[in-house]
Amino acid sequence: MSVSEKNSVVEGDQVSVEDHRLLRKVDLRLLPVFTLLYLLSFLDRSNIGNAKIDGMTTDLGVSPASYNTALAIYFVGYVIFEVPANLTSFPLDNKCNPQVWLPSLTLVWGIVSIGQGLVKNQAGLFGIRFLLGATEAGLFPGVIYVFSVYYLRRERSWRVAIFFGGSALAGAFGGIFAYCIGLMNGVGGRRGWQWYVRIPTYHLINPTSKRIFILEGTLTAVVSLVAYFIVPTWSHEAKFLSEPEKTRLLDRLRADSDAGTDQVFKWSSVRDAFGDHLVWAYAFLFHGFSFVLYSLSLFLPTIIAGLGFETWQAQLMTVPPNVLASFSIWTTVYFSSKFNVRAPFIIGAAIVSIIGYILLIACTSPGLQYFGVHLAAAGVYTGNSLLLSWPGENVSGQAKRAVAVALQISVGDIGAIAGCLIYRPTLDSHLYRTPNLIAIGYLLFAIVMTTYLWRVMSAENRRRDGLLSQGEAKEETEEERIRLGDRSVRYRYQI
């Protein structure tokens, strides 16, 4: 390790004044724009739940079973295009970088949003949901990968939490907007649900049916055009940093992992990712949580309405659980980062969510059941915010990490497809009791996967410590260390 590297990276949680200033500059450039884009993305995929209880399925002639199919179709597109989208964002050449790729995705899904104004029937709803999933697939793993080339491993979870918190805020905003839009029933000859749009300020506009969605897509496209000037490129080419700042950033990254190196794409790295049992464990962990995350976010308005509340009340009552989830995310991840551990907090979050589902299933009082909804939301959102940063922290080798992050989302969202299909009308009795029991099973599965990762990575860290302490470890050149990545005897997993 060079002198500059030693001076750049300090032990524990202490950060020098210079590094703190550098991190604040990077945060201000990355976090606001990425959080905004993800908030809009998540709002788009989940506000269909609010639209359903406001009359969408009746107006489009969509049967209850077909509504579940429409939910699942979004994730089919998402899963299919997840890994290819993230490989596209890898620096194969100078033209393909996050500064171009991520705003371009936003532009494309803005165009897809314009198509929502043409939806007249069930077939149109199916088609637009698939395209929406396909065009949004690259955003989340792309942003997680960008974080991995700007922040030290121990610094990433807090940033991912802020970014992922946009999903919980989207749920809160969605409930408020849904209530307001429901009041517009009959305005302009449109049903209330038809006014659902991506950006809240559109609700103040009263154009015709077709023009409202054209404006929506156009405004989203405008956001993407602005993002071209804000979203950064790779860390070694970052134009918003001065040369001394860039040098210090890269020194910190090199001392921590491979993130500060300029690597070329190799298909062997893709094979390494698919052949690593830990990569699959991260994916199955998210699979367990994803089932609960998306089934809860999509069916929360319906569940709350089933407690005996009117539609307008149910819309507003989705807000508090999502607000609590946001605060839970930021508080828990703060302590997780402070103590530099992930697994115990993920398991704890799953247990909190399980308790919430038990209250929802076992209690007959609407008040206790509503409290259970709060616990379920806080636990599942918090667990997801922690686990989604884990492969970005632990998988080394840039191409391997890009595949691992995308594979986690892709396999995980198969759980979302299962959730959409299991929460079907034939199982909606007693506030979806049977699907809620299945959700508990998925959370228990997630606890098992977390425990597996915890034990295996801890054992491997101890084994490598033993090799080094006994002098049995072979010396590695810088080139060998980069080539070996997380298989290097000097690499340590974040537990």
Side-chain angles (χ1 to χ4, degrees), residues 29 68-69 100 127-128 145 226 258 260 315 324 420:
R29 187 58 178 261
N68 288 64
T69 302
V100 174
I128 209 69
Y145 184 73
V226 174
D258 61 18
Q315 303 284 28
L324 176 64
C420 293

Side-chain angles (χ1 to χ4, degrees), residues 68-313:
N68 288 64
T69 302
L71 299 181
I73 283 175
Y74 169 89
F75 294 103
V76 172
Y78 207 95
V79 168
I80 290 174
F81 289 95
E82 193 77 43
V83 174
N86 218 32
L87 282 179
T88 301
S89 69
F90 189 83
L92 299 174
D93 54 54
N94 291 328
K95 295 181 180 179
C96 192
N97 64 65
Q99 190 174 30
V100 174
W101 177 241
L102 296 178
S104 296
L105 285 178
T106 309
L107 177 62
V108 173
W109 89 55
I111 295 171
V112 171
S113 294
I114 295 175
Q116 292 181 72
L118 305 177
V119 171
K120 302 293 184 183
N121 51 39
Q122 178 175 289
L125 180 64
F126 286 177
I128 209 69
R129 291 294 291 179
F130 179 85
L131 289 176
L132 191 62
T135 53
E136 290 186 356
L139 177 67
F140 192 94
V143 171
I144 298 299
Y145 184 73
V146 171
F147 283 164
S148 76
V149 297
Y150 273 94
Y151 297 107
L152 302 185
R153 292 191 293 158
R154 68 171 182 265
E155 295 166 348
R156 294 171 197 164
S157 62
W158 175 238
R159 274 75 185 181
V160 172
I162 295 174
F163 168 64
F164 185 74
S167 63
L169 289 177
F173 292 149
I176 296 172
F177 301 149
Y179 169 71
C180 295
I181 295 169
L183 297 178
M184 298 178 68
N185 189 42
V187 174
R190 297 178 60 79
R191 291 275 285 149
W193 68 266
Q194 291 178 297
W195 290 92
Y196 278 90
V197 292
R198 184 187 306 271
I199 302 296
T201 53
Y202 302 168
H203 304 161
L204 303 177
I205 305 172
N206 186 18
T208 63
S209 171
K210 188 172 182 179
R211 289 174 59 193
I212 185 67
F213 287 104
I214 293 175
L215 287 173
E216 170 196 331
T218 302
L219 192 53
T220 301
V222 170
V223 172
S224 75
L225 296 177
V226 174
Y228 279 110
F229 298 95
I230 301 176
V231 173
T233 184
W234 305 114
S235 53
H236 61 275
E237 298 176 344
K239 296 180 177 64
F240 69 96
L241 297 176
S242 65
E243 284 303 319
E245 289 172 333
K246 193 186 306 181
T247 299
R248 189 166 187 83
L249 177 70
L250 295 177
D251 282 345
R252 297 177 81 244
L253 293 171
R254 291 190 190 100
D256 180 63
S257 66
D258 61 18
T261 61
D262 187 9
Q263 299 181 18
V264 297
F265 176 83
K266 294 181 180 179
W267 282 106
S268 60
S269 299
V270 178
R271 291 193 297 271
D272 287 343
F274 279 96
D276 190 336
H277 66 107
L278 294 178
V279 170
W280 286 101
Y282 295 126
F284 287 125
L285 169 59
F286 182 49
H287 180 87
F289 267 94
S290 181
F291 175 97
V292 187
L293 172 68
Y294 287 109
S295 60
L296 185 64
S297 63
L298 291 168
F299 290 92
L300 183 60
T302 303
I303 290 173
I304 292 178
L307 294 176
F309 299 101
E310 297 293 333
T311 295
W312 67 270
Q313 292 175 311

